[in-house]
């Protein structure tokens, strides 16, 4: 099994930056995909950015040019650098791991709040 621990959320003013981190532990298979999802109150959880172990990335249109996902495969970590934050980025952000068995593992979530 895989366990995920997220960190780095918080409160920031509009236009500010935050960096989220997620560390995976347990039985990690390669290839895999790790990424970030978010869920705002009253809305469905949505994909923000994902990165495969081979390097392929995918971003939501709403964050392209502002967010950057990166991974350290040796440390089983994934980061999300969030710049030019907007109030609409306010949500709980979840880290997700998925291996070849296509069974997702989710982190506990970290709150990101952007004030206007």
């Amino acid at each position: 099994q895989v366990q995920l621990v997220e960190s780095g959320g918080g409160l920031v003013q509009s236009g500010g930056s935050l960096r989220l981190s997620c560390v995976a532990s347990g039985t990690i298979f390669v290839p895999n995909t790790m990424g970030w999802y978010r869920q705002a109150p009253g809305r469905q959880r949505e994909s923000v950015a994902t990165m495969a172990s081979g390097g392929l990335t995918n971003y939501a249109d709403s964050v392209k040019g502002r967010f950057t996902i990166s991974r350290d495969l040796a440390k089983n970590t994934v980061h999300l650098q969030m710049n030019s934050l907007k109030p609409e980025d306010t949500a709980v952000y979840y880290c997700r791991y998925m291996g070849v068995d296509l069974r997702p593992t989710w982190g506990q979530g970290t709150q990101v709040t952007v004030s206007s």
Side-chain angles (χ1 to χ4, degrees):
Q1 289 190 348
V2 175
Q3 297 79 41
L4 303 173
V5 177
E6 301 133 333
S7 61
L11 172 65
V12 65
Q13 289 187 333
S14 181
S17 298
L18 282 174
R19 179 178 169 89
L20 304 183
S21 296
C22 174
V23 180
S25 61
T27 305
I28 308 295
F29 292 101
V30 178
N32 60 61
T33 298
M34 293 187 71
W36 294 93
Y37 292 70
R38 66 187 181 189
Q39 187 167 18
R43 302 190 66 176
Q44 288 189 330
R45 191 172 298 187
E46 62 176 358
S47 176
V48 176
T50 62
M51 188 171 188
S53 51
L56 184 66
T57 59
N58 188 60
Y59 291 92
D61 288 342
S62 60
V63 306
K64 285 180 180 177
R66 300 188 298 123
F67 292 10
T68 302
I69 189 170
S70 61
R71 293 185 62 176
D72 185 331
L73 295 180
K75 297 181 179 179
N76 292 322
T77 59
V78 61
H79 306 283
L80 185 67
Q81 178 65 43
M82 305 185 293
N83 299 329
S84 302
L85 282 160
K86 305 175 182 180
E88 50 263 44
D89 294 317
T90 295
V92 178
Y93 284 69
Y94 296 91
C95 177
R96 191 189 83 164
Y97 163 92
M98 190 160 68
V100 293
D101 60 1
L102 302 183
R103 295 170 59 185
T105 298
W106 295 93
Q108 79 282 2
T110 184
Q111 177 70 46
V112 171
T113 302
V114 184
S115 62
S116 57

